[in-house]
Amino acid sequence: PGWSPARTAAAEQDPNLVVTPREGRAGETTYKTFNIDNPRDEVLEPGWLYMVKHNGPPNIVSRIPGGTAIGISNIDGHEPDPLPPGFLRHRVGDNLMTCITTEEADAFNGRVISDAGGGFTTNQLHAGGCVVLIGDAAVSPPPPGAGINHALEAAGHLVDCVLGQDGLLARGQTVESAIRAYSDARMPDEVAYAFLGASKDPLQTVACMVGTLFGMYPPRGAIKESCAPFSEHCQMHHYV
């Protein structure tokens, strides 16, 4: 769970990057991801999240405004093993498959099955002076339903901080110093996000229930309805 080849390679090359395994939430859905490299507006409108059901459990698909899309297909254990050729088409239907390359459909069958039954955290978001960890590569598992938003938010933060017109590179900083500054600025949100998605013991569970009364921990579903940083949603990790 939370497997990331980018994070694994970064940790092997940078001794300062510490990757810590952690327990996840029990009973979580298992799934495979798939990339949608050629989205068409008549199939997937930009900026929308879709539930696509054809055969088997529904698939979650998100289209980035002005960009590509990504999907999640639930794997419930009733699928044939190994998955047969054309399984992704069977799962999502012909209409969505017009947006997915043949290479991606073939790669789907061999892709790692993911879940929120465990994951990893990192002590920093950069490695080797040139690599930035974003999304599940930085923290997993996500809070329920927040994984895609987390990755998009972090990417937007990276662009604003480092790559934008007023970013650190435009102000003369080196790539290494700019991504270190991004990591330092982003880590409070990542720490809060990690706590939101973590398995909690009984004491923490009760403390978080109390925390919702004082605005220190979000009610269920609240983080999906707000654009506020994760560090503003959650302060309970400082106390329990």
Side-chain angles (χ1 to χ4, degrees), residues 72-202:
I72 294 174
S73 184
N74 290 342
I75 302 296
D76 59 12
H78 294 94
E79 299 80 11
D81 185 18
L83 297 179
F87 182 79
L88 184 57
R89 180 181 295 275
H90 169 78
R91 189 50 77 80
V92 304
D94 292 341
N95 194 35
L96 185 57
M97 282 302 299
T98 62
C99 305
I100 300 173
T101 65
T102 301
E103 293 78 11
E104 177 61 18
D106 293 339
F108 176 83
N109 282 15
R111 191 155 292 147
V112 172
I113 295 176
S114 301
D115 63 30
F120 300 86
T121 60
T122 57
N123 67 321
Q124 60 189 39
L125 305 177
H126 63 89
C130 60
V131 175
V132 177
L133 301 177
I134 285 177
D136 285 356
V139 176
S140 62
I148 293 176
N149 288 342
H150 167 239
L152 293 176
E153 179 186 301
H157 192 171
L158 174 66
V159 170
D160 290 342
C161 182
V162 177
L163 303 173
Q165 290 185 345
D166 296 321
L168 296 174
L169 293 182
R171 286 184 253 163
Q173 290 203 25
T174 65
V175 171
E176 181 173 3
S177 63
I179 63 176
R180 285 179 180 274
Y182 161 78
S183 176
D184 292 342
R186 179 71 193 174
M187 277 305 292
D189 287 318
E190 296 296 324
V191 172
Y193 176 83
F195 184 79
L196 287 167
S199 175
K200 297 174 179 61
D201 61 35

